[in-house]
Amino acid sequence: MQFDFNDDDFVWNVNILDNETPSSRFDDVFKNQWLTAVESGVCRYRLTNLLTKILPGKFGFVAQLNSDRATQRRLPQNLQKVNSPFDGTQFNFNKVPAQEVLLKPGNKAAAAAEVSTCVLSPGPIKDNEEEEAVIIINVSPLEFGNSLLVPNVTANIPQRITQEGIDLLVRLMLLSTDVNLKAGFNSPGGYASVNHQHYHLYYLRERLYIETVAVKHVAGPCFALTDFPSKGFAFQLTDKDPSLLAKNVFTLVSYLWANEIAHNLFVTRGKRFDDDDDASLPHIYDTVRVFVWAREPAFGVKEEIGFNPALCELAGHLLIKEGPAYEMVTEKEASQLLDSITTPWFHQVGAHIGHLF
């Protein structure tokens, strides 16, 4: 199935109230493809017993028990550097079977063009195609719709953010009218499990504190996320220009990558940073927010019992591995962990933001 779109299909504002915003064509196709793949049996388990609760406290952490993912997922690769080179002998996304490929997005627009065109269609990965982006189902899903966007599968780019990759990710977010769609990235040392460039996509029904949290201006387009346990940096979509947002985010993450600093990224719909004067429309999300965390590195194969603080956890979505930990987790304990692995690095990187922007 082919799915063509251009900038006219982007949705700039979404309503967070249930049943107020019609489902977009992208959401319909993506969800249908994901459900079809699940029904075909490609996943290692079903998300039938995903217990969810909101932890009491200021930040409203969303805790979910997913013990199947903890025990049945593919063993993460043993990466020891942020700049780990691609290794074709290890598992990579050129090796996935055709039935795991959901969509094939291709941005056909020239850099200076005003209209971007994408073609999305199901099908296998072909080794002879260049710059082929694919969306692959995560066979060990963390939530509904969990898939992996691989912006250029045959280029064999290791697990690092590129400007082209984040640009495509933001454009896919803009095609969705579902406020629940989330996206993110884990670097090596930030709990990346496969050293082949990919971004996570998934839907989360619960609202997150960081969708509306106030941020402080640092320099240029960069803001600081300080009213949250995970201390990091924030960017937003402005002037309806996803390319500019991608450029700004890449300026920071390229610095982290070049300096061997582990990092995570999270993308969500949310309120504009300067929306204090628009309190009359709290149900309208009018931007795309991108959060970037420099963090304490976690290299090697980790087997924490509670949760691994990766892209979801740093955003306030806690994926708990075992029942006892799910029952006992508190906002205070989770906050202490998230603060401890981000605050020192936030201050270290923050000293250079003025030079970057």
Side-chain angles (χ1 to χ4, degrees):
M1 174 181 178
Q2 183 170 306
F3 185 100
D4 297 316
F5 70 85
N6 56 41
D7 286 3
D8 293 333
D9 296 303
F10 290 161
V11 180
W12 306 106
N13 300 327
V14 296
N15 193 320
I16 68 173
L17 299 179
D18 291 340
N19 302 319
E20 290 293 333
T21 303
S23 179
S24 72
R25 292 186 297 140
F26 173 76
D27 289 313
D28 288 341
V29 172
F30 181 29
K31 292 177 183 179
N32 180 69
Q33 290 294 104
W34 192 84
L35 288 169
T36 298
V38 169
E39 291 300 319
S40 72
V42 300
C43 292
R44 300 189 176 194
Y45 53 84
R46 293 291 190 100
L47 293 173
T48 54
N49 297 311
L50 196 61
L51 296 180
T52 303
K53 64 181 179 180
I54 307 299
L55 300 187
K58 173 181 177 179
F59 305 113
F61 287 150
V62 180
Q64 290 185 318
L65 176 62
N66 192 338
S67 56
D68 286 333
R69 177 172 167 82
T71 59
Q72 298 186 44
R73 67 180 299 196
R74 181 184 294 109
L75 187 66
Q77 294 172 7
N78 187 11
L79 304 176
Q80 296 295 330
K81 294 178 58 180
V82 172
N83 298 317
S84 297
F86 180 84
D87 182 354
T89 66
Q90 298 288 320
F91 172 80
N92 63 77
F93 300 115
N94 291 293
K95 299 181 179 182
V96 301
Q99 60 267 30
E100 294 180 18
V101 180
L102 304 182
L103 304 171
K104 298 169 69 176
N107 189 348
K108 306 299 183 182
E114 295 182 358
V115 176
S116 296
T117 301
C118 279
V119 177
L120 282 75
S121 60
I125 298 172
K126 299 177 182 179
D127 291 336
N128 61 351
E129 292 185 16
E130 296 183 357
E131 298 185 2
E132 183 173 56
V134 293
I135 297 177
I136 301 168
I137 191 169
N138 189 345
V139 296
S140 301
L142 61 91
E143 245 290 7
F144 178 83
N146 188 200
S147 303
L148 308 174
L149 169 65
V150 186
N152 194 340
V153 65
T154 57
N156 296 338
I157 299 171
Q159 180 63 349
R160 62 179 176 86
I161 291 173
T162 60
Q163 186 169 329
E164 295 78 11
I166 195 67
D167 184 281
L168 177 58
L169 184 65
V170 171
R171 291 176 188 274
L172 294 183
M173 292 289 293
L174 289 171
L175 288 176
S176 172
T177 56
D178 192 333
V179 69
N180 299 324
L181 183 62
K182 310 298 180 188
F185 175 92
N186 296 322
S187 81
Y191 288 99
S193 60
V194 177
N195 192 26
H196 192 179
Q197 186 194 42
H198 65 282
Y199 304 79
H200 278 271
L201 293 166
Y202 72 99
Y203 292 89
L204 179 68
R205 291 184 298 272
E206 291 74 22
R207 301 275 59 81
L208 296 174
Y209 185 80
I210 64 171
E211 295 170 5
T212 57
V213 64
V215 294
K216 298 180 180 179
H217 183 247
V218 181
C222 185
F223 292 75
L225 173 63
T226 56
D227 185 23
F228 197 65
S230 307
K231 304 301 187 295
F233 303 96
F235 302 84
Q236 66 177 342
L237 182 69
T238 58
D239 301 323
K240 297 184 177 181
D241 189 348
S243 295
L244 178 60
L245 175 58
K247 177 182 178 182
N248 293 333
V249 172
F250 182 70
T251 297
L252 175 56
V253 297
S254 61
Y255 169 84
L256 301 177
W257 177 79
N259 288 276
E260 277 287 331
I261 299 173
H263 51 281
N264 303 91
L265 175 145
F266 191 81
V267 186
T268 181
R269 293 278 189 166
K271 299 292 290 184
R272 290 198 313 270
F273 297 162
D274 57 350
D275 250 4
D276 292 340
D277 296 332
D278 198 17
S280 62
L281 297 173
H283 56 288
I284 300 298
Y285 278 7
D286 49 8
T287 194
V288 173
R289 291 179 163 209
V290 179
F291 297 93
V292 178
W293 294 279
R295 48 89 49 77
E296 184 72 24
F299 289 114
V301 178
K302 302 297 182 180
E303 294 296 337
E304 281 82 355
I305 295 176
F307 64 86
N308 294 339
L311 70 94
C312 298
E313 292 75 14
L314 291 174
H317 176 203
L318 311 181
L319 305 178
I320 311 296
K321 296 183 177 184
E322 296 187 352
Y326 176 77
E327 295 298 330
M328 295 186 297
V329 64
T330 66
E331 179 179 278
K332 180 180 179 180
E333 292 173 340
S335 296
Q336 289 173 341
L337 173 59
L338 298 178
D339 178 83
S340 68
I341 67 170
T342 58
T343 295
W345 297 89
F346 169 74
H347 291 302
Q348 176 180 323
V349 174
H352 299 274
I353 295 295
H355 299 290
L356 294 175
F357 299 100

